[in-house]
Amino acid sequence: MNAVIPEPRTTAPATGHAPGPRTAGPWRVHAAHPGLAGVAAMVHALLEPHLGSRLLPLGAEQHQPEASALTLALVDEIPAASDTPGTIGVPPDGAARPVDESYRLTVEADGILCRAATPVGVFRAATTALQLLATSGGRLPRQELADAPRHAWRGLLLDPARGYLTPDEVRQVIDLAALYKLNVLHLHLTDNEGWRLELPGTPQLTAPAPDGTPRAFYTTDDYRLLQAYAAQRFVTVVPEIDLPGHCATLREALPGLPDAPAPAWLAGRFPYVAPLDLTDPATQEAVAAILAEVCRLTDGPFVHVGGDEAVGATEESFAHSIRELRALVRESGKRPIGWQESSRAGVDPDDILQFWVDVPMMDLPDTADEIAARPELVAAGTTLEFVQALKSFFAPTDQDLTRILDGGGRVLLSPQSHLYLDRAYAPEVVPAGRQADAARLGFPTYRPLGVEHTAAWDPMSYGIPEDRVAGVEATVFAESVESLDDVTTLLLPRLASVAAAAWTGRAPDWTGHRARLAHHGRLWEQRGLAYLPSTEIPWAAAPES
């Protein structure tokens, strides 16, 4: 077997009796079409951490004809595998229909041939070739792989608002996402803990703190370059400005904005940051200026307006705010996305809502004894009163999915139960010597679970008509993280499982997926990425050259 993730739809032995190429190299990247020069450069850069000195400089192939070739070729058409259905969902580049990402890869005696009808298809094939080279030793078996995605939107949310990553660190995550055929980077840029995007029209948002401490943020140049870097790897950046709740940093920067009208039952019960009131002219003007500038700075077609957990706003105030946020984004020529709660402001067929929670998947206890049996809840100081308040506040989420579908909208699947990768690992799967890290990382009230739990997720399990699924997106919120190593430890190995489900449209077979994952620790190590070597996986030793 090969260790490619997502598992290709078809794999067959290639014709001929000659042995396959040696992974030990040397290897060269060759673009067989002038239009693939940019793709070849990206593939070459992605290969460098894995091949090192075995990778020849671009254009050096004439000097070492004996080198194995990774050849990138455009063809008129790629015959679809017999079991390959059409791609569904919303293309993240804003196209009217999904772009053709299908490809065919052949391991030949003298190298690997990547063929597709589009540059993005060629790039997807090349990431498969990279995985073959990084996870294999000796000679590659002669074989032919054919593949195409099921979902057009395959995303990952990063949370620099709470756990800032430098631009170089974000680029490392973009590379990781691209290697597993993800094509959206959702940046959660604002929250109560931080505002991470420079907006020259509102410099107060990223000004030093009152004590003079500089704040970490992405300059407009940083943001422009990150988007360009992602686009070269066929990844679309979607920025999120989370409103009308989660707005403490905005309130600090623009003091004096009035609170949204609050429900009478909430007064004095729990502390919260009051959501914004977009019926207030000064608030509306400030938010309009912010969103116009974010839209202007964003290359892609989508801007996420948040809409989640607006604790302390009446239903009427919340609905008004969501309608206003959507209108402001559309006025700037972008398409708004919101979390599922924004369905309560109404849903149109053009709307995309991100489904993340309902009360059952929150896995909350019903009694004090059940709290006592959950160490993570005890450690967080959870009380029965607080749990009951959570259930009451989140009760409307049980109908959000129905609201989206009844209104004709599209659903972006990000269920907390499986795709929130800021979940601690179950202690029983954590290897010796890693317990401290594992205990420190993860949202404190989520039940710790293993890699197999994530891999069991089935995108079809919600009964949503396929034409109403926008796509799939994993998240890694950063309440507990302090570094890129923390982020990738939460992501890996679980991100590979989500990527497999997003690409194929189904949960991977655990036995085969586990065996393939066993070879990917080596790939992550070569890229300098920290990961959690779960005892669920029989991790393979480094392959022999």
Side-chain angles (χ1 to χ4, degrees), residues 79-457:
S82 59
D83 65 341
T84 302
T87 307
I88 61 170
V90 175
D93 62 359
R97 59 180 57 87
V99 68
D100 183 1
E101 297 181 76
S102 61
Y103 70 85
R104 193 170 290 271
L105 180 150
T106 306
V107 179
E108 303 174 312
D110 58 353
I112 302 173
L113 174 61
C114 300
R115 290 170 289 163
T118 62
V120 64
V122 173
F123 182 76
R124 303 292 179 231
T127 62
T128 295
L130 183 152
Q131 290 191 26
L132 288 172
L133 290 168
T135 61
S136 304
R139 289 189 178 272
L140 290 176
R142 298 279 303 282
Q143 57 191 301
E144 184 163 272
L145 314 178
D147 208 358
R150 187 68 181 127
H151 290 288
W153 183 299
R154 306 179 302 276
L156 170 63
L157 178 150
L158 281 185
D159 178 18
R162 297 185 180 96
Y164 179 75
L165 298 178
T166 68
D168 281 343
E169 290 170 336
V170 175
R171 281 187 269 271
Q172 291 183 66
V173 177
I174 291 170
D175 286 346
L176 175 66
L179 290 181
Y180 289 97
K181 300 180 173 63
L182 300 179
N183 62 353
V184 175
L185 180 68
H186 173 170
L187 290 177
H188 186 78
L189 291 167
T190 74
D191 213 297
N192 293 327
E193 294 83 354
W195 188 287
R196 303 302 184 187
L197 179 61
E198 176 191 31
L199 299 178
T202 315
Q204 309 95 305
L205 292 166
T206 48
D211 64 359
T213 302
R215 302 185 197 270
F217 61 90
Y218 306 117
T219 67
T220 55
D221 281 346
D222 290 336
Y223 185 54
R224 176 180 57 82
L225 292 171
L226 282 174
Q227 291 179 91
Y229 186 92
Q232 290 170 335
R233 288 147 181 81
F234 300 96
V235 173
T236 299
V237 172
V238 175
E240 181 184 352
I241 305 300
D242 198 357
L243 299 169
H246 292 272
C247 60
T249 49
L250 190 150
R251 286 190 170 283
E252 181 183 344
L254 304 175
L257 299 179
D259 296 351
W265 65 266
L266 191 62
R269 288 194 67 192
F270 301 102
Y272 61 87
V273 176
L276 299 177
D277 178 12
L278 269 76
T279 66
D280 171 64
T283 303
Q284 195 278 344
E285 181 180 2
V287 170
I290 286 168
L291 288 179
E293 196 157 15
V294 172
C295 291
R296 180 180 62 80
L297 294 171
T298 298
D299 297 333
F302 297 99
V303 169
H304 202 300
V305 297
D308 63 313
E309 298 179 320
V311 180
T314 62
E315 293 179 9
E316 296 79 8
S317 172
F318 176 72
H320 174 85
S321 292
I322 294 299
R323 288 192 289 268
E324 184 68 18
L325 293 169
R326 290 173 178 166
L328 291 170
V329 169
R330 289 186 173 116
E331 286 171 10
S332 290
K334 301 296 182 181
R335 190 170 174 184
I337 298 179
W339 295 103
Q340 68 184 68
E341 293 98 318
S342 56
S343 64
R344 300 167 210 171
V347 179
D348 293 324
D350 190 49
D351 289 327
I352 298 174
L353 290 306
Q354 193 163 0
F355 174 62
W356 70 281
V357 74
D358 56 31
V359 173
M361 81 167 70
M362 293 178 75
D363 191 20
L364 294 171
D366 293 314
T367 67
D369 287 344
E370 290 178 358
I371 292 175
R374 297 270 298 274
E376 72 280 3
L377 297 182
V378 172
T382 305
T383 65
L384 185 58
E385 180 191 18
F386 182 67
V387 169
Q388 291 169 341
L390 278 179
K391 288 183 178 181
S392 176
F393 176 75
F394 281 98
T397 62
D398 291 351
Q399 300 303 316
D400 285 339
L401 194 54
T402 299
R403 273 186 278 269
I404 297 168
L405 297 176
D406 286 351
R410 298 281 193 99
V411 180
L412 181 57
L413 291 170
S414 297
Q416 179 198 89
S417 57
H418 292 80
L419 268 59
Y420 271 46
L421 303 184
D422 53 322
R423 180 183 294 275
Y425 291 93
E428 60 268 22
V429 309
V430 177
R434 298 297 300 273
Q435 291 91 343
D437 276 350
R440 178 176 58 83
L441 294 174
F443 193 70
T445 60
Y446 292 167
R447 186 192 296 271
L449 293 167
V451 178
E452 184 177 3
H453 172 81
T454 301
W457 180 68

Side-chain angles (χ1 to χ4, degrees), residues 31-96:
H33 187 282
L36 294 175
V39 175
M42 294 307 102
V43 172
H44 191 275
L46 286 170
L47 277 168
E48 283 181 327
H50 307 285
L51 296 182
S53 61
R54 293 177 286 159
L55 181 63
L56 301 180
L58 280 172
E61 56 264 30
Q62 64 270 25
H63 303 298
Q64 293 202 42
E66 76 283 2
S68 299
L70 176 58
T71 301
L72 312 178
L74 285 173
V75 296
D76 291 337
E77 185 179 2
I78 291 293
S82 59
D83 65 341
T84 302
T87 307
I88 61 170
V90 175
D93 62 359

